[in-house]
Structures are given as C-alpha cells and as structure tokens.
Amino acid sequence: MLLLLLSIIVLHVAVLVLLFVSTIVSQWIVGNGHATDLWQNCSTSSSGNVHHCFSSSPNEWLQSVQATMILSIIFSILSLFLFFCQLFTLTKGGRFYITGIFQILAALPSLDKSDRAQETTSVFLKDKS
C-alpha cells in the first residue's frame, strides 16, 4: 500500500513538472532566424544569439491556449494538494474521487491546447508557403 501511495505521489509530481515545462518552454516554430513559442516571438542571428523578443500576438486562439495551460497547472496543483489532504483525513479504504476529478480537469485543458496548437500551426505553415 505504501508503494502504491508513493507511486501516486510520483505520478502527481511528474505531471506537474511536465505541465510546467510544456507551458514555459514550448517552442512551436524554429527556423529562418525566427523562433515562436507560446509567450513570445524572437528573432535570432545566424550564430544563435537572440536579438529581439516581442510578446506573442494578441490572437484569440493564442490567449485561449495560454489560459487553458494555466488552468491545467492550477488544477494539477489543486489535485496534488487535495491528494495530501485526503490521504490524512479519509478513513481506511476511502476513495480519492475528488483528487481524480481534479486530475481529469487538469488533463482536459492540455488536450485542448495540443489540439489547438496542431490546428493553428498547420494553418500558420500553410499561410507561410
């Protein structure tokens, strides 16, 4: 039972780390002296030095992706917190339904983000060519 609880804690922490990494360092398009990610657009020189970074365009789809990723991180943190609260307050044999619901809520915005990113990246690449 202890091994199961430790594996669940490791799973929660791993999901949280992956969400932070995918939100902070998510370069979608790199090339031609230009790098675009979720938060900013940067122009680079041929040696790889960054010259100018501007905030990403105020497109509605980009703002929705940013909001859903932040929501996903918030739900994941709440899920981990509720897991610890339920771990010490539930009776023996109790179910972790609330933690599971919040973990599912954390996964849904990430799926939406990946779907929107795939759609908009393909549209963006079609416009470039």
Side-chain angles (χ1 to χ4, degrees):
M1 189 59 132
L2 183 62
L3 184 61
L4 179 64
L5 290 175
L6 287 175
S7 64
I8 291 172
I9 291 170
V10 167
L11 179 67
H12 276 282
V13 172
V15 165
L16 197 56
V17 166
L18 288 173
L19 282 172
F20 271 112
V21 168
S22 68
T23 302
I24 295 169
V25 186
S26 58
Q27 291 189 351
W28 290 351
I29 301 171
V30 177
N32 299 332
H34 178 283
T36 303
D37 65 7
L38 189 58
W39 304 104
Q40 59 188 358
N41 297 328
C42 296
S43 61
T44 58
S45 65
S46 59
S47 63
N49 296 331
V50 176
H51 287 296
H52 301 287
C53 286
F54 302 103
S55 63
S56 291
S57 63
N59 292 336
E60 294 170 359
W61 64 268
L62 185 61
Q63 290 176 350
S64 71
V65 170
Q66 291 170 343
T68 55
M69 287 307 294
I70 291 171
L71 271 176
S72 182
I73 290 173
I74 290 170
F75 283 139
S76 185
I77 289 171
L78 282 174
S79 175
L80 182 61
F81 176 73
L82 288 172
F83 175 73
F84 282 121
C85 289
Q86 287 182 325
L87 184 63
F88 295 112
T89 59
L90 282 179
T91 60
K92 187 174 182 178
R95 304 283 186 232
F96 291 91
Y97 289 125
I98 296 173
T99 302
I101 289 170
F102 272 93
Q103 197 65 32
I104 290 171
L105 287 174
L108 291 177
S110 296
L111 292 175
D112 181 51
K113 180 239 179 190
S114 64
D115 184 41
R116 287 179 193 254
Q118 182 181 10
E119 289 174 6
T120 54
T121 304
S122 64
V123 169
F124 180 75
L125 291 175
K126 284 181 187 176
D127 290 341
K128 284 283 194 178
S129 56

